[in-house]
Amino acid sequence: GNSVTQMEGPVTLSEEAFLTINCTYTATGYPSLFWYVQYPGEGLQLLLKATKADDKGSNKGFEATYRKETTSFHLEKGSVQVSDSAVYFCALSGNTDKLIFGTGTRLQVFP
Amino acid sequence: NAGVTQTPKFQVLKTGQSMTLQCAQDMNHEYMSWYRQDPGMGLRLIHYSVGAGITDQGEVPNGYNVSRSTTEDFPLRLLSAAPSQTSVYFCASSFPSGRGLGGYTFGSGTRLTVV
């Protein structure tokens, strides 16, 4: 079945450092891919998405490119801020509205 | 304010008790779902609904019941609470796109402890 694998955290960075959070997936067909973010004490929010191979999703300085050849959707940001500290979830959907989530990666950014 | 409202925010139950977690949305979303979030396991789908009168099981449905009598409401019932159901529960809704492209709107969660 479909599944998502994320790198384990926590990821600890200093402010203005470069961020990469790895995400790989297993799916039949051509899934849609998502990154969601969860700030402390809140529900998840959609950060970005991509619907087909080579698409790049971007939002708030974050980017992720749908790589079908490596079945990956890594999240990147060039310069993180303390306010980016949160848990990040990679997710996919097949041909339904059901989302399958990865286990989440906690990001901690220090001044 | 438009969004997904979950109540209660916190709840402590004794083993064997029953309760209902409420979820309501005012965005006219047809698709609604319940997830539980556990450390190291991410979010796992419990039940979902593609519209009023239609529900289906997700990945971890045992011990939970749902119903969808209106578009707005999607309550989750625990019939006989067990310590293994200690978790944070999230309700989410979206417009149906067939591929999750509507983007989920999540509630702020219910933290449930079963003792």
Side-chain angles (χ1 to χ4, degrees), chain A residues 6-11 21-22 35 86-89 103-107:
Chain A
Q6 287 183 240
M7 63 186 291
E8 290 195 19
V11 174
I21 299 178
N22 290 339
W35 277 100
V87 181
Y88 292 82
F89 291 90
T103 55
T105 302
R106 181 176 299 278
L107 170 65

mmCIF file with all atom_site columns, all heavy atoms in Angstrom, chain A residues 6-11 21-22 35 86-89 103-107:
data_model
loop_
_atom_site.group_PDB
_atom_site.id
_atom_site.type_symbol
_atom_site.label_atom_id
_atom_site.label_alt_id
_atom_site.label_comp_id
_atom_site.label_asym_id
_atom_site.label_entity_id
_atom_site.label_seq_id
_atom_site.pdbx_PDB_ins_code
_atom_site.Cartn_x
_atom_site.Cartn_y
_atom_site.Cartn_z
_atom_site.occupancy
_atom_site.B_iso_or_equiv
_atom_site.pdbx_formal_charge
_atom_site.auth_seq_id
_atom_site.auth_comp_id
_atom_site.auth_asym_id
_atom_site.auth_atom_id
_atom_site.pdbx_PDB_model_num
ATOM 1   N N   . GLN A 1 6   ? 9.653  9.677  6.514  1.00 0.00 ? 6   GLN A N   1
ATOM 2   C CA  . GLN A 1 6   ? 10.354 10.930 6.773  1.00 0.00 ? 6   GLN A CA  1
ATOM 3   C C   . GLN A 1 6   ? 11.570 10.687 7.640  1.00 0.00 ? 6   GLN A C   1
ATOM 4   O O   . GLN A 1 6   ? 11.612 9.735  8.422  1.00 0.00 ? 6   GLN A O   1
ATOM 5   C CB  . GLN A 1 6   ? 9.461  11.884 7.572  1.00 0.00 ? 6   GLN A CB  1
ATOM 6   C CG  . GLN A 1 6   ? 8.357  12.501 6.831  1.00 0.00 ? 6   GLN A CG  1
ATOM 7   C CD  . GLN A 1 6   ? 7.579  13.469 7.699  1.00 0.00 ? 6   GLN A CD  1
ATOM 8   O OE1 . GLN A 1 6   ? 6.384  13.281 7.899  1.00 0.00 ? 6   GLN A OE1 1
ATOM 9   N NE2 . GLN A 1 6   ? 8.223  14.508 8.216  1.00 0.00 ? 6   GLN A NE2 1
ATOM 10  N N   . MET A 1 7   ? 12.541 11.596 7.520  1.00 0.00 ? 7   MET A N   1
ATOM 11  C CA  . MET A 1 7   ? 13.693 11.518 8.395  1.00 0.00 ? 7   MET A CA  1
ATOM 12  C C   . MET A 1 7   ? 13.265 11.790 9.823  1.00 0.00 ? 7   MET A C   1
ATOM 13  O O   . MET A 1 7   ? 12.351 12.574 10.086 1.00 0.00 ? 7   MET A O   1
ATOM 14  C CB  . MET A 1 7   ? 14.758 12.524 7.956  1.00 0.00 ? 7   MET A CB  1
ATOM 15  C CG  . MET A 1 7   ? 14.350 13.983 8.041  1.00 0.00 ? 7   MET A CG  1
ATOM 16  S SD  . MET A 1 7   ? 15.585 15.091 7.340  1.00 0.00 ? 7   MET A SD  1
ATOM 17  C CE  . MET A 1 7   ? 16.903 14.926 8.522  1.00 0.00 ? 7   MET A CE  1
ATOM 18  N N   . GLU A 1 8   ? 13.922 11.112 10.736 1.00 0.00 ? 8   GLU A N   1
ATOM 19  C CA  . GLU A 1 8   ? 13.593 11.303 12.137 1.00 0.00 ? 8   GLU A CA  1
ATOM 20  C C   . GLU A 1 8   ? 14.196 12.598 12.642 1.00 0.00 ? 8   GLU A C   1
ATOM 21  O O   . GLU A 1 8   ? 15.228 13.047 12.177 1.00 0.00 ? 8   GLU A O   1
ATOM 22  C CB  . GLU A 1 8   ? 14.122 10.130 12.968 1.00 0.00 ? 8   GLU A CB  1
ATOM 23  C CG  . GLU A 1 8   ? 13.370 8.835  12.699 1.00 0.00 ? 8   GLU A CG  1
ATOM 24  C CD  . GLU A 1 8   ? 13.646 7.784  13.758 1.00 0.00 ? 8   GLU A CD  1
ATOM 25  O OE1 . GLU A 1 8   ? 14.109 8.155  14.841 1.00 0.00 ? 8   GLU A OE1 1
ATOM 26  O OE2 . GLU A 1 8   ? 13.393 6.595  13.482 1.00 0.00 ? 8   GLU A OE2 1
ATOM 27  N N   . GLY A 1 9   ? 13.528 13.189 13.598 1.00 0.00 ? 9   GLY A N   1
ATOM 28  C CA  . GLY A 1 9   ? 14.067 14.400 14.201 1.00 0.00 ? 9   GLY A CA  1
ATOM 29  C C   . GLY A 1 9   ? 14.542 14.129 15.606 1.00 0.00 ? 9   GLY A C   1
ATOM 30  O O   . GLY A 1 9   ? 14.684 12.974 15.999 1.00 0.00 ? 9   GLY A O   1
ATOM 31  N N   . PRO A 1 10  ? 14.747 15.163 16.357 1.00 0.00 ? 10  PRO A N   1
ATOM 32  C CA  . PRO A 1 10  ? 14.557 16.532 15.906 1.00 0.00 ? 10  PRO A CA  1
ATOM 33  C C   . PRO A 1 10  ? 15.716 17.027 15.053 1.00 0.00 ? 10  PRO A C   1
ATOM 34  O O   . PRO A 1 10  ? 16.831 16.526 15.144 1.00 0.00 ? 10  PRO A O   1
ATOM 35  C CB  . PRO A 1 10  ? 14.482 17.318 17.218 1.00 0.00 ? 10  PRO A CB  1
ATOM 36  C CG  . PRO A 1 10  ? 15.295 16.517 18.177 1.00 0.00 ? 10  PRO A CG  1
ATOM 37  C CD  . PRO A 1 10  ? 15.108 15.091 17.786 1.00 0.00 ? 10  PRO A CD  1
ATOM 38  N N   . VAL A 1 11  ? 15.395 17.969 14.195 1.00 0.00 ? 11  VAL A N   1
ATOM 39  C CA  . VAL A 1 11  ? 16.398 18.689 13.441 1.00 0.00 ? 11  VAL A CA  1
ATOM 40  C C   . VAL A 1 11  ? 16.645 19.998 14.180 1.00 0.00 ? 11  VAL A C   1
ATOM 41  O O   . VAL A 1 11  ? 15.703 20.762 14.405 1.00 0.00 ? 11  VAL A O   1
ATOM 42  C CB  . VAL A 1 11  ? 15.920 18.961 12.001 1.00 0.00 ? 11  VAL A CB  1
ATOM 43  C CG1 . VAL A 1 11  ? 16.922 19.846 11.272 1.00 0.00 ? 11  VAL A CG1 1
ATOM 44  C CG2 . VAL A 1 11  ? 15.694 17.656 11.252 1.00 0.00 ? 11  VAL A CG2 1
ATOM 45  N N   . ILE A 1 21  ? 14.529 18.622 4.981  1.00 0.00 ? 21  ILE A N   1
ATOM 46  C CA  . ILE A 1 21  ? 13.853 17.510 5.654  1.00 0.00 ? 21  ILE A CA  1
ATOM 47  C C   . ILE A 1 21  ? 13.490 16.503 4.566  1.00 0.00 ? 21  ILE A C   1
ATOM 48  O O   . ILE A 1 21  ? 12.749 16.820 3.645  1.00 0.00 ? 21  ILE A O   1
ATOM 49  C CB  . ILE A 1 21  ? 12.593 17.952 6.411  1.00 0.00 ? 21  ILE A CB  1
ATOM 50  C CG1 . ILE A 1 21  ? 12.951 18.965 7.498  1.00 0.00 ? 21  ILE A CG1 1
ATOM 51  C CG2 . ILE A 1 21  ? 11.907 16.742 7.034  1.00 0.00 ? 21  ILE A CG2 1
ATOM 52  C CD1 . ILE A 1 21  ? 11.748 19.502 8.268  1.00 0.00 ? 21  ILE A CD1 1
ATOM 53  N N   . ASN A 1 22  ? 14.033 15.306 4.692  1.00 0.00 ? 22  ASN A N   1
ATOM 54  C CA  . ASN A 1 22  ? 13.836 14.298 3.658  1.00 0.00 ? 22  ASN A CA  1
ATOM 55  C C   . ASN A 1 22  ? 12.491 13.603 3.782  1.00 0.00 ? 22  ASN A C   1
ATOM 56  O O   . ASN A 1 22  ? 12.021 13.309 4.886  1.00 0.00 ? 22  ASN A O   1
ATOM 57  C CB  . ASN A 1 22  ? 14.946 13.254 3.725  1.00 0.00 ? 22  ASN A CB  1
ATOM 58  C CG  . ASN A 1 22  ? 16.274 13.812 3.296  1.00 0.00 ? 22  ASN A CG  1
ATOM 59  O OD1 . ASN A 1 22  ? 16.342 14.818 2.597  1.00 0.00 ? 22  ASN A OD1 1
ATOM 60  N ND2 . ASN A 1 22  ? 17.350 13.172 3.715  1.00 0.00 ? 22  ASN A ND2 1
ATOM 61  N N   . TRP A 1 35  ? 3.215  18.918 2.029  1.00 0.00 ? 35  TRP A N   1
ATOM 62  C CA  . TRP A 1 35  ? 3.848  19.171 3.308  1.00 0.00 ? 35  TRP A CA  1
ATOM 63  C C   . TRP A 1 35  ? 2.873  19.982 4.163  1.00 0.00 ? 35  TRP A C   1
ATOM 64  O O   . TRP A 1 35  ? 2.331  20.991 3.716  1.00 0.00 ? 35  TRP A O   1
ATOM 65  C CB  . TRP A 1 35  ? 5.152  19.962 3.152  1.00 0.00 ? 35  TRP A CB  1
ATOM 66  C CG  . TRP A 1 35  ? 6.325  19.103 2.806  1.00 0.00 ? 35  TRP A CG  1
ATOM 67  C CD1 . TRP A 1 35  ? 6.884  18.918 1.580  1.00 0.00 ? 35  TRP A CD1 1
ATOM 68  C CD2 . TRP A 1 35  ? 7.091  18.304 3.712  1.00 0.00 ? 35  TRP A CD2 1
ATOM 69  N NE1 . TRP A 1 35  ? 7.934  18.046 1.663  1.00 0.00 ? 35  TRP A NE1 1
ATOM 70  C CE2 . TRP A 1 35  ? 8.095  17.651 2.959  1.00 0.00 ? 35  TRP A CE2 1
ATOM 71  C CE3 . TRP A 1 35  ? 7.033  18.076 5.090  1.00 0.00 ? 35  TRP A CE3 1
ATOM 72  C CZ2 . TRP A 1 35  ? 9.022  16.787 3.535  1.00 0.00 ? 35  TRP A CZ2 1
ATOM 73  C CZ3 . TRP A 1 35  ? 7.944  17.215 5.663  1.00 0.00 ? 35  TRP A CZ3 1
ATOM 74  C CH2 . TRP A 1 35  ? 8.937  16.582 4.890  1.00 0.00 ? 35  TRP A CH2 1
ATOM 75  N N   . ALA A 1 86  ? 8.672  23.960 14.495 1.00 0.00 ? 86  ALA A N   1
ATOM 76  C CA  . ALA A 1 86  ? 7.373  23.294 14.387 1.00 0.00 ? 86  ALA A CA  1
ATOM 77  C C   . ALA A 1 86  ? 7.635  21.833 14.035 1.00 0.00 ? 86  ALA A C   1
ATOM 78  O O   . ALA A 1 86  ? 8.780  21.404 13.903 1.00 0.00 ? 86  ALA A O   1
ATOM 79  C CB  . ALA A 1 86  ? 6.507  23.940 13.311 1.00 0.00 ? 86  ALA A CB  1
ATOM 80  N N   . VAL A 1 87  ? 6.549  21.086 13.885 1.00 0.00 ? 87  VAL A N   1
ATOM 81  C CA  . VAL A 1 87  ? 6.649  19.719 13.378 1.00 0.00 ? 87  VAL A CA  1
ATOM 82  C C   . VAL A 1 87  ? 6.148  19.721 11.938 1.00 0.00 ? 87  VAL A C   1
ATOM 83  O O   . VAL A 1 87  ? 5.073  20.270 11.649 1.00 0.00 ? 87  VAL A O   1
ATOM 84  C CB  . VAL A 1 87  ? 5.832  18.722 14.223 1.00 0.00 ? 87  VAL A CB  1
ATOM 85  C CG1 . VAL A 1 87  ? 5.978  17.308 13.668 1.00 0.00 ? 87  VAL A CG1 1
ATOM 86  C CG2 . VAL A 1 87  ? 6.283  18.774 15.678 1.00 0.00 ? 87  VAL A CG2 1
ATOM 87  N N   . TYR A 1 88  ? 6.906  19.104 11.046 1.00 0.00 ? 88  TYR A N   1
ATOM 88  C CA  . TYR A 1 88  ? 6.586  19.093 9.620  1.00 0.00 ? 88  TYR A CA  1
ATOM 89  C C   . TYR A 1 88  ? 6.222  17.669 9.194  1.00 0.00 ? 88  TYR A C   1
ATOM 90  O O   . TYR A 1 88  ? 6.941  16.717 9.495  1.00 0.00 ? 88  TYR A O   1
ATOM 91  C CB  . TYR A 1 88  ? 7.776  19.613 8.812  1.00 0.00 ? 88  TYR A CB  1
ATOM 92  C CG  . TYR A 1 88  ? 8.017  21.086 9.051  1.00 0.00 ? 88  TYR A CG  1
ATOM 93  C CD1 . TYR A 1 88  ? 8.727  21.505 10.168 1.00 0.00 ? 88  TYR A CD1 1
ATOM 94  C CD2 . TYR A 1 88  ? 7.498  22.052 8.203  1.00 0.00 ? 88  TYR A CD2 1
ATOM 95  C CE1 . TYR A 1 88  ? 8.919  22.853 10.427 1.00 0.00 ? 88  TYR A CE1 1
ATOM 96  C CE2 . TYR A 1 88  ? 7.691  23.408 8.448  1.00 0.00 ? 88  TYR A CE2 1
ATOM 97  C CZ  . TYR A 1 88  ? 8.397  23.791 9.560  1.00 0.00 ? 88  TYR A CZ  1
ATOM 98  O OH  . TYR A 1 88  ? 8.580  25.137 9.810  1.00 0.00 ? 88  TYR A OH  1
ATOM 99  N N   . PHE A 1 89  ? 5.092  17.563 8.496  1.00 0.00 ? 89  PHE A N   1
ATOM 100 C CA  . PHE A 1 89  ? 4.584  16.273 8.049  1.00 0.00 ? 89  PHE A CA  1
ATOM 101 C C   . PHE A 1 89  ? 4.542  16.220 6.527  1.00 0.00 ? 89  PHE A C   1
ATOM 102 O O   . PHE A 1 89  ? 3.967  17.089 5.878  1.00 0.00 ? 89  PHE A O   1
ATOM 103 C CB  . PHE A 1 89  ? 3.167  16.034 8.576  1.00 0.00 ? 89  PHE A CB  1
ATOM 104 C CG  . PHE A 1 89  ? 3.066  15.828 10.048 1.00 0.00 ? 89  PHE A CG  1
ATOM 105 C CD1 . PHE A 1 89  ? 2.878  16.910 10.900 1.00 0.00 ? 89  PHE A CD1 1
ATOM 106 C CD2 . PHE A 1 89  ? 3.134  14.562 10.576 1.00 0.00 ? 89  PHE A CD2 1
ATOM 107 C CE1 . PHE A 1 89  ? 2.771  16.716 12.270 1.00 0.00 ? 89  PHE A CE1 1
ATOM 108 C CE2 . PHE A 1 89  ? 3.027  14.358 11.945 1.00 0.00 ? 89  PHE A CE2 1
ATOM 109 C CZ  . PHE A 1 89  ? 2.850  15.431 12.799 1.00 0.00 ? 89  PHE A CZ  1
ATOM 110 N N   . THR A 1 103 ? 5.557  10.249 9.751  1.00 0.00 ? 103 THR A N   1
ATOM 111 C CA  . THR A 1 103 ? 5.582  10.326 11.211 1.00 0.00 ? 103 THR A CA  1
ATOM 112 C C   . THR A 1 103 ? 5.893  11.713 11.740 1.00 0.00 ? 103 THR A C   1
ATOM 113 O O   . THR A 1 103 ? 5.780  11.957 12.933 1.00 0.00 ? 103 THR A O   1
ATOM 114 C CB  . THR A 1 103 ? 6.597  9.335  11.790 1.00 0.00 ? 103 THR A CB  1
ATOM 115 O OG1 . THR A 1 103 ? 7.863  9.583  11.181 1.00 0.00 ? 103 THR A OG1 1
ATOM 116 C CG2 . THR A 1 103 ? 6.182  7.899  11.525 1.00 0.00 ? 103 THR A CG2 1
ATOM 117 N N   . GLY A 1 104 ? 6.283  12.625 10.866 1.00 0.00 ? 104 GLY A N   1
ATOM 118 C CA  . GLY A 1 104 ? 6.569  13.987 11.298 1.00 0.00 ? 104 GLY A CA  1
ATOM 119 C C   . GLY A 1 104 ? 8.029  14.170 11.682 1.00 0.00 ? 104 GLY A C   1
ATOM 120 O O   . GLY A 1 104 ? 8.683  13.251 12.178 1.00 0.00 ? 104 GLY A O   1
ATOM 121 N N   . THR A 1 105 ? 8.531  15.376 11.453 1.00 0.00 ? 105 THR A N   1
ATOM 122 C CA  . THR A 1 105 ? 9.904  15.746 11.816 1.00 0.00 ? 105 THR A CA  1
ATOM 123 C C   . THR A 1 105 ? 9.851  17.062 12.579 1.00 0.00 ? 105 THR A C   1
ATOM 124 O O   . THR A 1 105 ? 9.341  18.060 12.056 1.00 0.00 ? 105 THR A O   1
ATOM 125 C CB  . THR A 1 105 ? 10.788 15.917 10.569 1.00 0.00 ? 105 THR A CB  1
ATOM 126 O OG1 . THR A 1 105 ? 10.785 14.705 9.815  1.00 0.00 ? 105 THR A OG1 1
ATOM 127 C CG2 . THR A 1 105 ? 12.211 16.281 10.966 1.00 0.00 ? 105 THR A CG2 1
ATOM 128 N N   . ARG A 1 106 ? 10.378 17.029 13.791 1.00 0.00 ? 106 ARG A N   1
ATOM 129 C CA  . ARG A 1 106 ? 10.387 18.253 14.606 1.00 0.00 ? 106 ARG A CA  1
ATOM 130 C C   . ARG A 1 106 ? 11.587 19.098 14.245 1.00 0.00 ? 106 ARG A C   1
ATOM 131 O O   . ARG A 1 106 ? 12.716 18.602 14.198 1.00 0.00 ? 106 ARG A O   1
ATOM 132 C CB  . ARG A 1 106 ? 10.429 17.901 16.094 1.00 0.00 ? 106 ARG A CB  1
ATOM 133 C CG  . ARG A 1 106 ? 10.412 19.116 17.014 1.00 0.00 ? 106 ARG A CG  1
ATOM 134 C CD  . ARG A 1 106 ? 10.353 18.724 18.475 1.00 0.00 ? 106 ARG A CD  1
ATOM 135 N NE  . ARG A 1 106 ? 9.149  17.966 18.776 1.00 0.00 ? 106 ARG A NE  1
ATOM 136 C CZ  . ARG A 1 106 ? 7.965  18.504 19.019 1.00 0.00 ? 106 ARG A CZ  1
ATOM 137 N NH1 . ARG A 1 106 ? 7.829  19.829 18.989 1.00 0.00 ? 106 ARG A NH1 1
ATOM 138 N NH2 . ARG A 1 106 ? 6.929  17.747 19.296 1.00 0.00 ? 106 ARG A NH2 1
ATOM 139 N N   . LEU A 1 107 ? 11.367 20.357 13.970 1.00 0.00 ? 107 LEU A N   1
ATOM 140 C CA  . LEU A 1 107 ? 12.420 21.324 13.670 1.00 0.00 ? 107 LEU A CA  1
ATOM 141 C C   . LEU A 1 107 ? 12.530 22.292 14.839 1.00 0.00 ? 107 LEU A C   1
ATOM 142 O O   . LEU A 1 107 ? 11.519 22.873 15.260 1.00 0.00 ? 107 LEU A O   1
ATOM 143 C CB  . LEU A 1 107 ? 12.118 22.082 12.391 1.00 0.00 ? 107 LEU A CB  1
ATOM 144 C CG  . LEU A 1 107 ? 13.021 23.288 12.081 1.00 0.00 ? 107 LEU A CG  1
ATOM 145 C CD1 . LEU A 1 107 ? 14.450 22.826 11.840 1.00 0.00 ? 107 LEU A CD1 1
ATOM 146 C CD2 . LEU A 1 107 ? 12.481 24.080 10.898 1.00 0.00 ? 107 LEU A CD2 1
#
